[in-house]
Amino acid sequence: MPFESTKKKTDSHSHVFYRKHKRPKPTISHGEGVYLWDTDGKRYIDASGGAVVVNVGHGVREIADAVREQAAEVAYAHATMFTSHALEELAAQLAARLPLPDARLFFLSSGSEAIETAVKLARQIQIARDQPSRYKVIGRWGSYHGATFGAMAVMGKPSMRRTYEPMFLDMPHIPPVYCYRCPFGLTCSECGLRCADALEEEIRRQGAETVAAFLAEPVAGATLGAVVPPDEYWPRLLEICDRYGVLLIADEVMTGMGRTGRWFAVEQWDITPDIICLGKGVSGGYLPLSVTAARGDLVETLWEQLGDFNHGGTYSHQPVAAAAGLATIRYLEAHNLIERAREAGETLGRKLREAFGHHPHVGDIRGQGMMWALELVADRETKEPFPPSAKLAGRIFDHAFASGLIVYAMSGCADGVAGDHVMVAPPFVVEIWQINEIIGLLREAIDAAIAEVTAGPQ
Ligand SMILES: Cc1ncc(COP(=O)(O)O)c(C=O)c1O
Protein backbone atom coordinates (compact mmCIF):
# COMPACT_ATOMS: atom_id res chain seq x y z
CA MET A 1 0.00 0.00 0.00
CA PRO A 2 1.35 3.44 -0.88
CA PHE A 3 0.81 4.76 2.65
CA GLU A 4 2.78 1.94 4.30
CA SER A 5 5.66 2.14 1.87
CA THR A 6 5.93 5.87 2.55
CA LYS A 7 6.08 5.27 6.28
CA LYS A 8 8.94 2.80 5.87
CA LYS A 9 11.19 5.34 4.24
CA THR A 10 14.11 6.41 6.40
CA ASP A 11 15.87 9.78 6.62
CA SER A 12 18.53 8.56 4.19
CA HIS A 13 15.95 8.27 1.41
CA SER A 14 14.71 11.65 0.24
CA HIS A 15 12.15 12.14 -2.50
CA VAL A 16 13.42 15.64 -3.08
CA PHE A 17 15.27 16.17 -6.35
CA TYR A 18 18.11 18.60 -5.60
CA ARG A 19 20.45 20.34 -7.98
CA LYS A 20 23.59 19.23 -6.10
CA HIS A 21 22.50 15.68 -5.59
CA LYS A 22 25.70 14.32 -4.02
CA ARG A 23 26.34 17.13 -1.55
CA PRO A 24 25.08 16.08 1.90
CA LYS A 25 22.58 18.64 3.14
CA PRO A 26 21.86 19.28 6.79
CA THR A 27 18.26 20.16 7.63
CA ILE A 28 17.80 23.86 8.30
CA SER A 29 16.21 24.73 11.62
CA HIS A 30 16.14 28.51 12.07
CA GLY A 31 17.99 31.75 11.48
CA GLU A 32 18.69 35.05 13.16
CA GLY A 33 20.67 38.01 11.86
CA VAL A 34 23.72 36.62 10.03
CA TYR A 35 23.35 33.14 11.51
CA LEU A 36 21.61 29.93 10.50
CA TRP A 37 21.26 26.79 12.62
CA ASP A 38 20.65 23.23 11.47
CA THR A 39 18.58 20.65 13.32
CA ASP A 40 21.73 19.20 14.92
CA GLY A 41 22.32 22.56 16.56
CA LYS A 42 25.29 23.51 14.37
CA ARG A 43 25.60 27.24 13.74
CA TYR A 44 26.58 28.75 10.38
CA ILE A 45 27.61 32.32 9.75
CA ASP A 46 25.91 33.21 6.48
CA ALA A 47 28.53 35.36 4.79
CA SER A 48 26.83 35.32 1.40
CA GLY A 49 23.12 35.32 2.25
CA GLY A 50 23.02 32.03 0.30
CA ALA A 51 23.21 33.26 -3.31
CA VAL A 52 23.54 36.94 -2.30
CA VAL A 53 19.89 37.19 -1.34
CA VAL A 54 19.61 38.05 2.36
CA ASN A 55 20.00 41.79 2.89
CA VAL A 56 18.01 42.47 6.09
CA GLY A 57 19.19 39.31 7.86
CA HIS A 58 17.47 36.12 8.93
CA GLY A 59 14.56 35.83 11.34
CA VAL A 60 13.13 39.35 11.05
CA ARG A 61 9.89 39.24 13.00
CA GLU A 62 8.31 42.26 11.28
CA ILE A 63 8.56 40.62 7.85
CA ALA A 64 7.24 37.29 9.11
CA ASP A 65 4.29 39.12 10.71
CA ALA A 66 3.52 41.04 7.51
CA VAL A 67 3.51 37.79 5.54
CA ARG A 68 1.27 36.07 8.09
CA GLU A 69 -1.20 38.97 8.19
CA GLN A 70 -1.46 39.23 4.41
CA ALA A 71 -1.86 35.46 4.00
CA ALA A 72 -4.63 35.46 6.60
CA GLU A 73 -6.43 38.37 4.91
CA VAL A 74 -6.11 37.12 1.37
CA ALA A 75 -3.36 34.94 -0.07
CA TYR A 76 -4.24 34.87 -3.74
CA ALA A 77 -6.18 36.87 -6.29
CA HIS A 78 -5.40 36.63 -9.98
CA ALA A 79 -3.52 39.59 -11.40
CA THR A 80 -5.83 39.98 -14.38
CA MET A 81 -8.74 40.38 -11.95
CA PHE A 82 -7.57 42.23 -8.81
CA THR A 83 -4.89 44.48 -7.42
CA SER A 84 -4.05 44.66 -3.69
CA HIS A 85 -3.04 47.32 -1.17
CA ALA A 86 0.26 45.56 -0.49
CA LEU A 87 1.14 45.49 -4.18
CA GLU A 88 0.13 49.08 -4.89
CA GLU A 89 2.08 50.31 -1.88
CA LEU A 90 5.15 48.26 -2.76
CA ALA A 91 5.06 49.54 -6.35
CA ALA A 92 4.76 53.13 -5.09
CA GLN A 93 7.66 52.70 -2.65
CA LEU A 94 9.91 51.17 -5.30
CA ALA A 95 8.91 53.69 -7.98
CA ALA A 96 9.86 56.51 -5.61
CA ARG A 97 13.40 55.08 -5.34
CA LEU A 98 14.06 53.63 -8.79
CA PRO A 99 16.11 55.79 -11.17
CA LEU A 100 13.36 55.49 -13.81
CA PRO A 101 10.94 58.32 -14.60
CA ASP A 102 7.37 57.40 -13.59
CA ALA A 103 8.36 53.72 -13.25
CA ARG A 104 5.83 50.96 -13.97
CA LEU A 105 6.46 47.65 -12.25
CA PHE A 106 5.57 44.08 -13.19
CA PHE A 107 5.88 41.60 -10.29
CA LEU A 108 6.99 37.98 -10.51
CA SER A 109 8.65 35.32 -8.38
CA SER A 110 12.25 34.80 -9.58
CA GLY A 111 15.07 36.80 -11.10
CA SER A 112 14.94 34.58 -14.19
CA GLU A 113 11.29 35.50 -14.71
CA ALA A 114 12.11 39.19 -14.30
CA ILE A 115 14.71 38.81 -17.06
CA GLU A 116 12.29 36.94 -19.34
CA THR A 117 9.78 39.68 -18.74
CA ALA A 118 12.32 42.39 -19.54
CA VAL A 119 13.26 40.67 -22.79
CA LYS A 120 9.62 40.29 -23.82
CA LEU A 121 8.85 43.83 -22.76
CA ALA A 122 11.76 45.19 -24.82
CA ARG A 123 10.49 43.31 -27.86
CA GLN A 124 6.96 44.62 -27.41
CA ILE A 125 8.13 48.18 -26.81
CA GLN A 126 10.07 48.03 -30.09
CA ILE A 127 6.99 46.72 -31.90
CA ALA A 128 4.93 49.49 -30.32
CA ARG A 129 7.55 52.02 -31.54
CA ASP A 130 7.03 50.69 -35.06
CA GLN A 131 10.34 48.82 -35.05
CA PRO A 132 9.09 45.23 -35.53
CA SER A 133 12.39 43.97 -36.96
CA ARG A 134 14.14 44.52 -33.62
CA TYR A 135 14.22 41.31 -31.59
CA LYS A 136 17.83 40.61 -30.60
CA VAL A 137 19.02 41.25 -27.08
CA ILE A 138 22.78 41.63 -26.82
CA GLY A 139 24.34 40.20 -23.65
CA ARG A 140 27.86 39.95 -22.28
CA TRP A 141 30.14 37.00 -21.70
CA GLY A 142 30.79 36.42 -18.03
CA SER A 143 27.23 37.28 -17.03
CA TYR A 144 24.46 35.42 -15.24
CA HIS A 145 20.80 36.19 -15.90
CA GLY A 146 18.94 33.05 -14.91
CA ALA A 147 18.01 29.47 -15.62
CA THR A 148 15.13 29.84 -18.10
CA PHE A 149 15.61 29.68 -21.86
CA GLY A 150 15.29 33.37 -22.63
CA ALA A 151 17.67 34.27 -19.80
CA MET A 152 20.14 31.56 -20.85
CA ALA A 153 20.18 32.84 -24.42
CA VAL A 154 21.39 36.24 -23.22
CA MET A 155 23.50 35.01 -20.32
CA GLY A 156 27.22 34.49 -20.78
CA LYS A 157 28.17 31.53 -18.58
CA PRO A 158 29.23 28.82 -21.06
CA SER A 159 29.06 25.90 -18.60
CA MET A 160 25.39 26.57 -17.88
CA ARG A 161 24.41 27.20 -21.51
CA ARG A 162 26.19 24.38 -23.34
CA THR A 163 23.74 21.55 -22.65
CA TYR A 164 20.79 23.58 -23.86
CA GLU A 165 22.29 25.61 -26.69
CA PRO A 166 20.60 23.66 -29.49
CA MET A 167 17.27 24.41 -27.85
CA PHE A 168 17.18 28.21 -27.75
CA LEU A 169 17.61 31.09 -30.14
CA ASP A 170 21.06 32.30 -29.20
CA MET A 171 21.70 36.00 -28.76
CA PRO A 172 24.84 38.03 -29.58
CA HIS A 173 27.38 38.63 -26.80
CA ILE A 174 30.14 41.17 -26.26
CA PRO A 175 33.21 40.73 -24.03
CA PRO A 176 32.79 41.72 -20.38
CA VAL A 177 34.28 44.67 -18.55
CA TYR A 178 36.85 42.76 -16.50
CA CYS A 179 39.96 44.83 -15.94
CA TYR A 180 41.87 42.14 -14.01
CA ARG A 181 41.73 39.97 -17.14
CA CYS A 182 41.04 42.49 -19.89
CA PRO A 183 39.50 40.58 -22.81
CA PHE A 184 41.44 42.88 -25.16
CA GLY A 185 44.76 42.46 -23.35
CA LEU A 186 44.86 46.19 -22.50
CA THR A 187 45.57 48.08 -19.29
CA CYS A 188 43.16 50.62 -17.79
CA SER A 189 45.25 53.68 -18.64
CA GLU A 190 45.46 52.80 -22.35
CA CYS A 191 42.19 51.02 -23.07
CA GLY A 192 39.91 53.96 -23.89
CA LEU A 193 37.00 51.72 -22.80
CA ARG A 194 37.45 49.29 -25.66
CA CYS A 195 34.99 46.91 -23.95
CA ALA A 196 32.20 49.53 -24.01
CA ASP A 197 32.86 50.37 -27.65
CA ALA A 198 32.47 46.66 -28.39
CA LEU A 199 28.73 47.24 -27.94
CA GLU A 200 28.64 49.72 -30.80
CA GLU A 201 30.60 47.32 -33.01
CA GLU A 202 28.22 44.48 -32.19
CA ILE A 203 25.11 46.60 -32.85
CA ARG A 204 26.55 47.58 -36.25
CA ARG A 205 27.59 44.00 -37.02
CA GLN A 206 24.11 42.71 -36.23
CA GLY A 207 22.39 45.64 -37.92
CA ALA A 208 20.83 48.14 -35.52
CA GLU A 209 17.43 47.52 -37.08
CA THR A 210 17.51 43.97 -35.59
CA VAL A 211 18.61 44.89 -32.05
CA ALA A 212 15.90 45.45 -29.43
CA ALA A 213 18.02 45.78 -26.29
CA PHE A 214 21.30 45.37 -24.48
CA LEU A 215 21.18 43.57 -21.12
CA ALA A 216 23.92 43.48 -18.45
CA GLU A 217 24.62 43.45 -14.72
CA PRO A 218 25.84 46.88 -13.52
CA VAL A 219 28.35 45.18 -11.21
CA ALA A 220 29.04 41.64 -12.44
CA GLY A 221 27.65 39.06 -10.02
CA ALA A 222 28.04 35.33 -9.64
CA THR A 223 29.83 34.48 -12.90
CA LEU A 224 32.77 36.91 -12.63
CA GLY A 225 32.44 37.87 -8.97
CA ALA A 226 31.76 41.47 -7.96
CA VAL A 227 33.52 43.17 -10.88
CA VAL A 228 32.97 46.93 -10.62
CA PRO A 229 33.40 48.71 -13.99
CA PRO A 230 35.25 52.01 -14.48
CA ASP A 231 32.97 55.02 -13.90
CA GLU A 232 32.82 55.93 -17.59
CA TYR A 233 31.67 52.47 -18.72
CA TRP A 234 27.89 52.60 -18.13
CA PRO A 235 27.40 56.20 -19.31
CA ARG A 236 29.18 55.17 -22.53
CA LEU A 237 26.91 52.12 -22.92
CA LEU A 238 23.83 54.30 -22.44
CA GLU A 239 25.06 56.80 -24.99
CA ILE A 240 25.62 53.99 -27.55
CA CYS A 241 22.20 52.45 -26.86
CA ASP A 242 20.46 55.81 -27.26
CA ARG A 243 22.27 56.50 -30.52
CA TYR A 244 21.06 53.24 -32.05
CA GLY A 245 17.54 53.11 -30.58
CA VAL A 246 18.51 50.11 -28.44
CA LEU A 247 16.86 49.74 -25.02
CA LEU A 248 19.19 49.45 -22.02
CA ILE A 249 18.23 46.78 -19.47
CA ALA A 250 20.07 46.76 -16.15
CA ASP A 251 19.96 43.41 -14.39
CA GLU A 252 19.97 44.50 -10.75
CA VAL A 253 18.69 41.17 -9.47
CA MET A 254 21.83 40.85 -7.34
CA THR A 255 22.97 44.45 -7.04
CA GLY A 256 19.60 46.10 -6.37
CA MET A 257 18.01 46.87 -2.99
CA GLY A 258 21.13 48.17 -1.31
CA ARG A 259 23.69 45.48 -2.03
CA THR A 260 26.24 47.92 -3.46
CA GLY A 261 25.68 50.49 -0.69
CA ARG A 262 22.98 52.43 -2.56
CA TRP A 263 19.47 51.41 -3.51
CA PHE A 264 20.47 50.56 -7.09
CA ALA A 265 23.96 50.15 -8.51
CA VAL A 266 23.29 52.29 -11.62
CA GLU A 267 22.71 55.33 -9.40
CA GLN A 268 26.47 55.71 -8.92
CA TRP A 269 26.86 56.66 -12.58
CA ASP A 270 23.80 58.86 -12.63
CA ILE A 271 22.26 57.09 -15.60
CA THR A 272 18.66 56.26 -16.47
CA PRO A 273 18.27 52.82 -18.06
CA ASP A 274 15.03 51.88 -19.81
CA ILE A 275 14.32 48.74 -17.78
CA ILE A 276 15.62 47.50 -14.43
CA CYS A 277 15.20 43.93 -13.11
CA LEU A 278 15.12 43.19 -9.39
CA GLY A 279 14.94 39.96 -7.39
CA LYS A 280 16.80 38.48 -4.43
CA GLY A 281 16.98 41.41 -1.96
CA VAL A 282 13.59 42.83 -2.97
CA SER A 283 12.09 40.50 -0.36
CA GLY A 284 15.37 39.65 1.36
CA GLY A 285 14.68 35.95 0.82
CA TYR A 286 11.43 35.91 2.83
CA LEU A 287 9.29 34.96 -0.17
CA PRO A 288 9.98 34.52 -3.89
CA LEU A 289 9.58 37.98 -5.41
CA SER A 290 11.03 39.77 -8.42
CA VAL A 291 10.28 42.89 -10.42
CA THR A 292 10.64 44.17 -13.96
CA ALA A 293 10.47 47.95 -13.83
CA ALA A 294 10.35 50.17 -16.90
CA ARG A 295 10.24 53.86 -17.74
CA GLY A 296 6.64 55.00 -17.66
CA ASP A 297 6.65 56.54 -21.15
CA LEU A 298 7.75 53.23 -22.69
CA VAL A 299 4.96 51.30 -20.99
CA GLU A 300 2.46 54.01 -22.00
CA THR A 301 3.57 53.61 -25.63
CA LEU A 302 3.05 49.86 -25.38
CA TRP A 303 -0.44 50.34 -23.94
CA GLU A 304 -1.38 52.92 -26.55
CA GLN A 305 -0.14 50.93 -29.53
CA LEU A 306 -0.70 47.32 -28.51
CA GLY A 307 -3.30 47.41 -25.77
CA ASP A 308 -2.18 44.71 -23.36
CA PHE A 309 1.26 43.40 -22.46
CA ASN A 310 1.40 39.93 -24.04
CA HIS A 311 2.72 37.99 -21.04
CA GLY A 312 1.43 35.95 -18.12
CA GLY A 313 2.14 34.28 -14.80
CA THR A 314 -0.19 32.60 -12.35
CA TYR A 315 1.92 33.86 -9.46
CA SER A 316 2.59 37.32 -10.85
CA HIS A 317 1.65 40.27 -8.61
CA GLN A 318 1.13 37.94 -5.63
CA PRO A 319 -0.12 39.86 -2.56
CA VAL A 320 1.70 37.83 0.11
CA ALA A 321 5.02 38.19 -1.69
CA ALA A 322 4.26 41.90 -2.07
CA ALA A 323 3.66 42.18 1.69
CA ALA A 324 7.08 40.58 2.26
CA GLY A 325 8.66 43.08 -0.15
CA LEU A 326 6.97 46.04 1.49
CA ALA A 327 8.02 44.93 4.97
CA THR A 328 11.57 44.43 3.70
CA ILE A 329 11.76 48.02 2.38
CA ARG A 330 10.33 49.34 5.65
CA TYR A 331 12.92 47.39 7.62
CA LEU A 332 15.79 48.55 5.39
CA GLU A 333 14.70 52.16 5.97
CA ALA A 334 13.86 51.92 9.66
CA HIS A 335 17.30 50.51 10.41
CA ASN A 336 19.29 52.62 7.91
CA LEU A 337 20.56 49.43 6.38
CA ILE A 338 21.52 50.82 2.98
CA GLU A 339 23.85 53.28 4.67
CA ARG A 340 25.09 50.45 6.84
CA ALA A 341 25.78 48.29 3.77
CA ARG A 342 27.94 51.11 2.44
CA GLU A 343 29.83 51.79 5.66
CA ALA A 344 30.25 48.24 6.97
CA GLY A 345 30.93 47.18 3.37
CA GLU A 346 33.91 49.53 3.24
CA THR A 347 35.22 47.89 6.39
CA LEU A 348 34.63 44.45 4.89
CA GLY A 349 36.58 45.42 1.76
CA ARG A 350 39.43 46.92 3.78
CA LYS A 351 39.68 43.87 6.01
CA LEU A 352 39.63 41.51 3.05
CA ARG A 353 42.50 43.46 1.51
CA GLU A 354 44.44 43.39 4.79
CA ALA A 355 43.90 39.67 5.23
CA PHE A 356 44.38 38.51 1.63
CA GLY A 357 46.30 41.31 -0.09
CA HIS A 358 49.57 39.35 0.15
CA HIS A 359 48.14 35.87 -0.06
CA PRO A 360 50.13 33.96 -2.70
CA HIS A 361 46.98 32.56 -4.30
CA VAL A 362 44.62 35.54 -4.13
CA GLY A 363 45.03 37.37 -7.43
CA ASP A 364 42.31 40.00 -7.08
CA ILE A 365 40.10 41.43 -4.35
CA ARG A 366 37.18 43.42 -5.73
CA GLY A 367 33.73 44.67 -4.98
CA GLN A 368 31.77 47.47 -3.37
CA GLY A 369 29.17 47.89 -0.65
CA MET A 370 28.30 44.52 0.79
CA MET A 371 29.35 42.58 -2.32
CA TRP A 372 32.95 41.40 -2.50
CA ALA A 373 34.91 38.62 -4.19
CA LEU A 374 38.36 37.08 -4.02
CA GLU A 375 39.73 35.56 -7.22
CA LEU A 376 42.04 32.61 -6.61
CA VAL A 377 45.02 31.97 -8.88
CA ALA A 378 47.74 29.35 -9.08
CA ASP A 379 50.29 32.09 -9.84
CA ARG A 380 49.86 35.74 -8.89
CA GLU A 381 52.38 36.97 -11.43
CA THR A 382 50.95 35.27 -14.50
CA LYS A 383 47.34 35.19 -13.16
CA GLU A 384 47.18 31.57 -14.22
CA PRO A 385 44.09 29.95 -12.70
CA PHE A 386 44.03 26.57 -11.02
CA PRO A 387 43.02 23.79 -13.41
CA PRO A 388 39.25 23.19 -13.46
CA SER A 389 39.91 19.55 -12.50
CA ALA A 390 41.16 20.79 -9.10
CA LYS A 391 37.60 22.00 -8.35
CA LEU A 392 39.05 24.63 -6.06
CA ALA A 393 35.87 26.69 -5.61
CA GLY A 394 33.92 23.61 -4.56
CA ARG A 395 36.64 22.62 -2.10
CA ILE A 396 36.69 26.07 -0.55
CA PHE A 397 32.92 25.96 -0.15
CA ASP A 398 33.10 22.49 1.46
CA HIS A 399 35.81 23.47 3.95
CA ALA A 400 34.03 26.70 4.83
CA PHE A 401 30.66 24.99 5.25
CA ALA A 402 32.19 22.26 7.45
CA SER A 403 33.57 24.97 9.73
CA GLY A 404 30.23 26.80 9.87
CA LEU A 405 30.86 29.50 7.26
CA ILE A 406 28.66 30.03 4.19
CA VAL A 407 30.25 31.71 1.16
CA TYR A 408 29.29 31.74 -2.53
CA ALA A 409 32.09 29.99 -4.41
CA MET A 410 32.08 29.70 -8.21
CA SER A 411 34.31 28.54 -11.01
CA GLY A 412 34.76 29.74 -14.60
CA CYS A 413 35.59 33.42 -14.09
CA ALA A 414 38.92 33.32 -15.99
CA ASP A 415 37.75 31.94 -19.33
CA GLY A 416 34.31 30.45 -18.80
CA VAL A 417 35.71 27.15 -17.53
CA ALA A 418 38.85 27.79 -15.47
CA GLY A 419 39.11 30.35 -12.68
CA ASP A 420 37.75 30.31 -9.14
CA HIS A 421 36.30 33.03 -7.00
CA VAL A 422 34.58 33.30 -3.66
CA MET A 423 31.92 35.90 -2.96
CA VAL A 424 31.52 37.43 0.48
CA ALA A 425 28.20 39.27 0.66
CA PRO A 426 26.72 39.03 4.15
CA PRO A 427 23.42 40.49 5.36
CA PHE A 428 23.75 44.25 5.95
CA VAL A 429 23.33 43.78 9.71
CA VAL A 430 26.73 42.08 9.99
CA GLU A 431 28.83 43.45 12.89
CA ILE A 432 32.54 44.23 12.63
CA TRP A 433 33.48 41.38 14.98
CA GLN A 434 31.45 39.03 12.79
CA ILE A 435 33.38 40.27 9.74
CA ASN A 436 36.56 39.29 11.59
CA GLU A 437 35.11 35.85 12.26
CA ILE A 438 34.14 35.46 8.57
CA ILE A 439 37.61 36.42 7.40
CA GLY A 440 39.33 34.07 9.86
CA LEU A 441 37.20 31.10 8.78
CA LEU A 442 37.54 32.00 5.11
CA ARG A 443 41.33 32.11 5.38
CA GLU A 444 41.34 28.62 6.94
CA ALA A 445 39.00 27.27 4.24
CA ILE A 446 41.06 28.75 1.38
CA ASP A 447 44.34 27.49 2.83
CA ALA A 448 42.94 24.01 3.46
CA ALA A 449 41.52 23.78 -0.07
CA ILE A 450 44.72 25.01 -1.69
CA ALA A 451 46.79 22.61 0.41
CA GLU A 452 44.67 19.74 -0.94
CA VAL A 453 44.97 20.94 -4.52
CA THR A 454 48.71 21.57 -4.43
CA ALA A 455 49.31 18.24 -2.65
CA GLY A 456 48.23 16.52 -5.89
CA PRO A 457 45.60 13.89 -6.55
CA GLN A 458 43.81 12.61 -3.44
C1 LIG B 1 22.25 39.06 -11.82
C2 LIG B 1 21.26 37.95 -11.76
N1 LIG B 1 20.23 37.92 -12.62
C3 LIG B 1 19.30 36.96 -12.61
C4 LIG B 1 19.39 35.92 -11.71
C5 LIG B 1 18.34 34.84 -11.72
O1 LIG B 1 17.59 34.90 -10.55
P1 LIG B 1 16.80 33.62 -10.02
O2 LIG B 1 17.83 32.61 -9.60
O3 LIG B 1 15.99 34.16 -8.87
O4 LIG B 1 15.94 33.13 -11.11
C6 LIG B 1 20.44 35.89 -10.79
C7 LIG B 1 20.58 34.78 -9.84
O5 LIG B 1 21.62 34.50 -9.31
C8 LIG B 1 21.41 36.93 -10.82
O6 LIG B 1 22.43 36.95 -9.97
Side-chain angles (χ1 to χ4, degrees), residues 19 51-53 109-115 143-148 151 215-223 250-255 277-280 288-290 371 408 410:
R19 172 175 165 196
V52 194
V53 173
S109 306
S110 68
S112 305
E113 286 174 284
I115 296 294
S143 63
Y144 186 73
H145 299 301
T148 48
L215 195 165
E217 298 153 277
V219 174
T223 301
D251 177 353
E252 294 238 23
V253 168
M254 187 179 279
T255 53
C277 298
L278 305 174
K280 298 185 186 263
L289 179 65
S290 66
M371 180 173 168
Y408 203 38
M410 291 280 162

Side-chain angles (χ1 to χ4, degrees), residues 45-271:
I45 183 160
D46 189 359
S48 65
V52 194
V53 173
V54 184
N55 47 5
V56 294
H58 297 284
V60 173
R61 181 69 40 203
E62 290 89 327
I63 304 177
D65 288 345
V67 165
R68 193 179 307 110
E69 279 163 27
Q70 182 62 53
E73 255 170 37
V74 59
Y76 184 79
H78 198 275
T80 59
M81 304 172 195
F82 293 96
T83 188
S84 64
H85 286 306
L87 194 69
E88 293 292 338
E89 182 59 21
L90 173 61
Q93 293 284 339
L94 285 170
R97 291 171 179 80
L98 277 160
L100 297 170
D102 190 24
R104 304 297 163 87
L105 289 78
F106 198 98
F107 291 89
L108 298 130
S109 306
S110 68
S112 305
E113 286 174 284
I115 296 294
E116 298 286 331
T117 304
V119 166
K120 289 168 91 171
L121 183 58
R123 166 78 178 140
Q124 286 191 58
I125 289 168
Q126 294 291 12
I127 293 171
R129 298 203 297 199
D130 204 18
Q131 300 279 317
S133 61
R134 290 182 184 262
Y135 68 95
K136 295 175 189 166
V137 178
I138 299 177
R140 282 190 317 201
W141 292 115
S143 63
Y144 186 73
H145 299 301
T148 48
F149 280 96
M152 270 193 297
V154 186
M155 174 250 272
K157 186 171 169 79
S159 60
M160 292 190 79
R161 293 161 48 94
R162 201 161 292 136
T163 317
Y164 305 105
E165 261 167 7
M167 300 168 71
F168 55 74
L169 178 66
D170 204 2
M171 291 289 162
H173 292 76
I174 62 169
V177 52
Y178 185 17
C179 298
Y180 179 65
R181 295 182 186 278
C182 175
F184 300 96
L186 301 170
T187 57
C188 291
S189 55
E190 64 178 10
C191 80
L193 280 185
R194 179 77 184 75
C195 54
D197 290 342
L199 177 60
E200 178 163 16
E201 285 161 27
E202 193 59 37
I203 292 172
R204 292 166 74 101
R205 188 177 303 125
Q206 296 294 331
E209 71 286 356
T210 68
V211 181
F214 169 69
L215 195 165
E217 298 153 277
V219 174
T223 301
L224 293 186
V227 176
V228 184
D231 281 344
E232 304 78 24
Y233 178 79
W234 272 82
R236 175 91 58 98
L237 293 182
L238 179 62
E239 190 259 311
I240 294 168
C241 284
D242 281 351
R243 193 141 32 92
Y244 289 92
V246 169
L247 297 168
L248 182 62
I249 307 173
D251 177 353
E252 294 238 23
V253 168
M254 187 179 279
T255 53
M257 306 307 289
R259 181 54 62 185
T260 65
R262 50 188 72 72
W263 279 97
F264 307 101
V266 292
E267 287 175 86
Q268 65 193 296
W269 306 298
D270 203 16
I271 58 161

Side-chain angles (χ1 to χ4, degrees), residues 413-425:
C413 58
D415 61 6
V417 182
D420 301 273
H421 71 265
V422 182
M423 288 189 77
V424 181

Side-chain angles (χ1 to χ4, degrees), residues 398-414:
D398 289 343
H399 280 287
F401 199 76
S403 71
L405 171 71
I406 298 173
V407 287
Y408 203 38
M410 291 280 162
S411 54
C413 58

Side-chain angles (χ1 to χ4, degrees), residues 386-387 389-391 395 448-458:
F386 283 94
S389 58
K391 296 189 184 323
R395 287 177 195 266
I450 288 175
E452 276 174 11
V453 167
T454 50
Q458 303 291 299

